[in-house]
Amino acid sequence: MTAERPRPVLPSVVLETERLRLRAFIEDDIDDVYAACNDPGLQSWLPLPRPGCPYTRTDAEQWCREIAPGIRTGGEGQQWAVTSAQDGRLVGAVGLMRVLWPAMNSEIGYWAAPWARGLGHTAEAVVAVSRWALDRGFQRLEIKAATGNTGSRRVAEKAGFTLEGVERSAMPLHEGRTDLAVYGLVPADLYDGRAARG
């Protein structure tokens, strides 16, 4: 019987853009994570912590203290707290998820805090993470967004991802299921003018 090879672990890095600082989640983020993840607008498209369950302060504590750092140390991806470079407040989250190491593919997931929506922060953060991942050798990045979630789909498009198709009835919500629009970004997109510039 062959032993399973350990998955690579991404380095813990801070990414900076003109307006944002992307860093690991910390204890001080718990209140903002709890407030953001309880927002009805977010909950309508991201059934956190899972369909049919309300988001509690314990969920926020576990995310900041255990789950987000564990995703990186377990080789499953990496999560960043998106913060304002001006005042340091949490404005959202972005992460590499479900990394397929043999293929060097990953999905990018994100959410925006309700007090920071409509300012372009999420697209700016997605551009930073996608460029960083492609520079590290990833060959394909995906974003999956509910077809009716126009805000999330706009982020994918502004970040230079290309709509590739729809996965039907692919994700459960708190009530019912939704189709997912699938967007992709590959290294060649950086050179043919389709991808947004960071």
Side-chain angles (χ1 to χ4, degrees):
M1 184 172 192
T2 306
E4 186 177 322
R5 289 177 29 187
R7 291 181 276 196
V9 174
L10 292 167
S12 180
V13 297
V14 173
L15 303 176
E16 295 185 344
T17 70
E18 183 179 335
R19 300 182 300 158
L20 303 172
R21 187 168 192 263
L22 283 62
R23 55 154 174 80
F25 282 89
I26 59 175
E27 190 87 9
D28 288 347
D29 295 326
I30 291 171
D31 288 339
D32 281 342
V33 168
Y34 177 56
C37 290
N38 266 303
D39 173 65
L42 188 147
Q43 282 287 329
S44 64
W45 297 115
L46 286 177
L48 301 173
R50 61 195 160 281
C53 293
Y55 196 86
T56 67
R57 182 173 172 79
T58 299
D59 292 317
E61 291 169 356
Q62 288 177 337
W63 174 259
C64 294
R65 294 174 181 158
E66 301 165 27
I67 298 171
I71 288 170
R72 187 184 72 78
T73 59
E76 299 168 34
Q78 182 148 329
Q79 295 291 319
W80 285 270
V82 181
T83 65
S84 165
Q86 184 176 8
D87 63 12
R89 185 169 189 197
L90 184 81
V91 296
V94 64
L96 296 171
M97 317 178 313
R98 293 183 267 285
V99 172
L100 299 175
W101 288 108
M104 288 301 285
N105 294 348
S106 183
E107 187 177 333
I108 294 183
Y110 48 83
W111 52 257
W115 52 86
R117 288 191 191 131
L119 301 174
H121 291 144
T122 308
E124 189 174 326
V126 169
V127 167
V129 168
S130 60
R131 297 308 171 273
W132 180 81
L134 293 176
D135 286 346
R136 291 200 59 80
F138 280 86
Q139 296 301 303
R140 176 177 170 76
L141 301 173
E142 289 183 347
I143 290 174
K144 296 182 179 184
T147 52
N149 188 347
T150 55
S152 186
R153 294 185 68 175
R154 199 164 33 248
V155 166
E157 292 159 4
K158 284 177 65 177
F161 284 66
T162 300
L163 178 64
E164 297 177 338
V166 173
E167 293 181 351
R168 296 180 301 156
S169 190
M171 187 173 89
L173 300 173
H174 282 305
E175 294 183 16
R177 297 183 67 86
T178 185
D179 296 345
L180 292 176
V182 179
Y183 293 84
L185 182 75
V186 299
D189 295 339
L190 299 180
Y191 307 107
D192 70 8
R194 282 188 284 169
R197 302 293 175 214

